[in-house]
Amino acid sequence: MTKATFNLHPRHHAGTVDPRIFGGFLEHMGRAVYEGVFDPSSSHADEHGCRRDVLNALDELDFTVMRYPGGNFVSNYHWRDGVGPIAERPTRRELAWGTIEPNTFGTNEFLALCDRMGWSPMFAVNLGTGSPEEAADWVEYTNGTKETDIGKQRAQDAAASTEPVPLWCLGNEMDGPWQIGHMSAAEYGTKARQAAHMMKLVDPSIELVVSGTSLPDNPTYLSWDQVALEAVGGFADYLSTHRYLDNYSGDTSAFLTSGVAIDQQITEIDSVCRYVAGKRRSRRRPFIAFDEWNVWYRTRNRTGMWADGKFPAHLVEEVYDLQDALVCAQFLMSFIRHADVVKIANIAQIVNVIAPVLTEGDKLLRQTIFDALAMFVGRRTGVSLHLGYSGGSVPAPDFGDVAMVDGAAILNEDKELHVFAVNRSADSTVELEIDLSGADLEMVSCDLLHHSNPMMQNTWDNPNAVRRSVIETSDGPSPVVQLPPHCFVAGTFKVS
Ligand code: AHR
Ligand code: AHR
């Protein structure tokens, strides 16, 4: 047993938590759309062809924004293929993942789904094989006037009108050699600026996300971001960054210090945003859209990522364990700690493809990471508080000793304090005291995600091996929560 304290002050704010950091990502990839959210042949299909069981499970995760339609897919996607009468839509060879795209699900099906689920849509435009004009036409289609031919077509295509699409990504991972239409940062900057200019002329209210470095290992990390941001200039509202963490080495202790690497990436990307704004003598800085994040490595190989002409193919259907869930919690805690700069974040993805939910025939499985995400639901609104930590440490590769307990805290207007904590230690139970400058804290709820085996997974045979449970705290003005080794805790306390 060891002791630790989260030292908090109600007026030491890190920033207001933007609800959009609890976003998701739905790509036309593998069985995410087809056999995932959309499957008219399923016994679970509703009148729109969507799987009720999948939507019910996703509803529990209460995603705020939903990024669509890719990902690598978008760089060879023409949005016009996915609108109009379904029988007239073309079937295309898809080059990002090697599949066949039937286009039976497209813009209007997705927007109708967003309406039903309460998701705010976040579109990515094709800056690979697409043109700035095609991107601006898509904005006209979803957000424009009914007077133009494109607007009239929309009115014909969509049974019900939907809200305008407020957020648009200028391409996807254009720095990556794998990306269709990959180009240099300068070339991308020119094309992205042209697209941004036209898109904002169509609808000046939209916000734009510049495609940044897709992974810190890329040789152009940070320099790509600088060149692209400078080129897009005042049209840039956000800079995108992505991160997929792995445990190839099988070193649980090292893997569970991942939060430090996430913090580092955020501060480095933030530095570029501030530098470019400073150089432009601008007071309007771009913020961070961490618009793809997750754990992904077991299925990260050519055979797992290439459909070879099959549709729909089982692509990257990663099966997650407890450690992965603890790392997912660290991603979200890091975004909360950096609430002043991270305004949007999207877990990649939501169903079947590196996802919290898996389907097989009529069956549905909630993975370990599902519970980690669910533990933030109902605990996401308010201001993030600076978190002072005192307690034990664990060694992190490249970073020296880091806190044994990773944490985040949110204080809301109803005087509720939400606290999140991951115990990184393999063998120490931690008695965690939460000290809000001496205020009385009464426990309202507290959930624990834990298993004695960090490698434990939820499987079709054992679907509830790792599920969250309710825990009690001890009484007293400063509550003490027991954190068993390798666990995630999320608690809510009434402040008086
Ligand atoms: O989420 C899967 C893929 O990962 C996305 O298509 C791409 O943007 C990233 O490399
Ligand atoms: O994170 C980038 C991914 O790495 C791409 O999606 C994939 O094609 C590459 O191997």
Side-chain angles (χ1 to χ4, degrees):
M1 180 81 76
T2 174
K3 292 187 183 211
T5 308
F6 283 176
N7 302 291
L8 305 161
H9 190 288
R11 286 192 300 278
H12 290 184
H13 297 176
T16 299
V17 178
D18 194 314
R20 297 174 302 172
I21 66 169
F22 301 99
F25 171 38
L26 177 66
E27 175 166 8
H28 284 246
M29 174 180 180
R31 300 189 308 129
V33 172
Y34 307 105
E35 288 191 9
V37 292
F38 182 71
D39 190 353
S41 68
S42 163
S43 65
H44 295 293
D46 64 13
E47 69 276 24
H48 307 282
C50 290
R51 275 185 72 142
R52 276 196 194 89
D53 59 335
V54 171
L55 300 193
N56 288 342
L58 294 178
D59 208 29
E60 290 172 41
L61 298 182
D62 196 22
F63 291 114
T64 48
V65 293
M66 192 57 65
R67 185 166 175 257
Y68 174 85
N72 296 345
F73 168 80
V74 81
S75 298
N76 73 155
Y77 178 62
H78 298 290
W79 65 268
R80 284 186 170 87
D81 289 349
V83 301
I86 287 179
E88 291 169 24
R89 297 187 197 170
T91 297
R92 302 258 188 230
R93 178 179 291 282
E94 195 286 314
L95 299 174
W97 307 109
T99 188
I100 302 294
E101 175 54 54
N103 284 306
T104 49
F105 189 94
T107 300
N108 293 305
E109 289 76 21
F110 176 71
L111 289 178
L113 181 59
C114 285
D115 255 14
R116 274 148 57 212
M117 298 297 289
W119 299 336
S120 179
M122 173 179 185
F123 276 19
V125 301
N126 175 357
L127 291 191
T129 62
S131 68
E133 186 180 32
E134 182 184 0
D137 283 352
W138 205 5
V139 180
E140 176 69 36
Y141 184 79
T142 57
N143 297 15
T145 163
K146 302 237 175 334
E147 288 161 40
T148 63
D149 280 7
I150 294 177
K152 282 182 196 145
Q153 192 196 335
R154 174 81 205 289
Q156 258 173 28
D157 292 344
S161 70
T162 49
E163 293 293 310
V165 177
L167 194 55
W168 296 75
C169 303
L170 298 165
N172 174 72
E173 294 191 346
M174 295 304 295
D175 65 308
W178 60 85
Q179 199 70 211
I180 292 169
H182 163 62
M183 53 189 118
S184 71
E187 290 164 330
Y188 166 75
T190 303
K191 191 168 181 179
R193 186 184 173 88
Q194 290 167 350
H197 184 199
M198 290 182 71
M199 291 164 77
K200 285 211 182 190
L201 286 173
V202 174
D203 181 355
S205 75
I206 61 171
E207 291 192 304
L208 297 176
V209 183
V210 173
S211 175
T213 314
S214 45
L215 59 158
D217 283 348
N218 276 5
T220 50
Y221 180 53
L222 303 182
S223 61
W224 167 283
D225 304 81
Q226 182 200 332
V227 172
L229 264 190
E230 284 184 1
V232 180
F235 296 123
D237 298 298
Y238 305 94
L239 175 64
S240 154
T241 195
H242 293 174
R243 185 70 174 260
Y244 293 102
L245 286 164
D246 68 74
N247 187 15
Y248 283 118
S249 60
D251 183 343
T252 300
S253 304
F255 187 45
L256 291 184
T257 60
S258 292
V260 186
I262 302 162
D263 287 344
Q264 186 188 25
Q265 184 171 342
I266 291 170
T267 46
E268 287 168 350
I269 296 289
D270 179 42
S271 306
V272 179
C273 293
R274 290 178 199 258
Y275 171 78
V276 172
K279 237 180 132 193
R280 296 183 60 240
R281 315 288 193 275
S282 169
R283 295 216 188 115
R284 219 184 116 258
R285 53 151 298 168
F287 291 98
I288 299 175
F290 215 120
D291 54 12
E292 285 185 35
W293 66 265
N294 204 343
V295 173
W296 176 18
Y297 63 104
R298 300 174 182 88
T299 55
R300 210 169 163 77
N301 50 58
R302 189 66 183 161
T303 44
M305 291 167 57
W306 187 247
D308 211 9
K310 282 194 284 302
F311 168 82
H314 287 65
L315 293 189
V316 302
E317 302 199 358
E318 191 100 358
V319 177
Y320 290 106
D321 63 17
L322 174 64
Q323 327 172 47
D324 303 327
L326 302 185
V327 169
C328 283
Q330 289 182 57
F331 267 109
L332 286 171
M333 291 193 297
S334 179
F335 302 154
I336 292 168
R337 285 195 294 270
H338 295 94
D340 55 333
V341 295
V342 180
K343 302 295 178 185
I344 299 163
N346 309 66
I347 185 171
Q349 298 191 11
I350 56 171
V351 54
N352 287 332
V353 170
I354 40 173
V357 173
L358 286 176
T359 65
E360 196 60 70
D362 278 349
K363 292 185 301 177
L364 180 143
L365 183 75
R366 285 169 178 76
Q367 300 227 53
T368 56
I369 64 170
F370 183 97
D371 277 42
L373 300 179
M375 285 164 66
F376 287 87
V377 174
R379 298 189 171 108
R380 312 193 304 200
T381 313
V383 289
S384 167
L385 298 184
H386 287 299
L387 192 144
Y389 172 80
S390 40
S393 58
V394 290
D398 308 326
F399 292 100
D401 287 341
V402 303
M404 184 180 286
V405 183
D406 193 29
I410 299 174
L411 184 63
N412 72 16
E413 287 178 347
D414 298 328
K415 290 201 160 183
E416 283 175 333
L417 177 72
H418 307 302
V419 178
F420 308 94
V422 166
N423 181 1
R424 292 166 160 153
S425 167
D427 37 39
S428 293
T429 294
V430 179
E431 249 186 30
L432 176 68
E433 181 182 348
I434 295 144
D435 182 1
L436 183 68
S437 300
D440 276 4
L441 298 176
E442 186 197 330
M443 192 191 87
V444 178
S445 64
C446 200
D447 297 321
L448 167 73
L449 189 63
H450 171 250
H451 193 283
S452 54
N453 176 5
M455 261 88 94
M456 186 56 82
Q457 303 173 324
N458 293 340
T459 59
W460 294 108
D461 294 332
N462 192 6
N464 295 313
V466 186
R467 300 306 308 271
R468 62 193 187 276
S469 58
V470 171
I471 57 166
E472 308 292 330
T473 58
S474 62
D475 293 332
S478 291
V480 175
V481 185
Q482 304 281 337
L483 309 182
H486 290 161
C487 78
F488 172 47
V489 162
T492 298
F493 304 88
K494 191 81 197 159
V495 183
S496 56

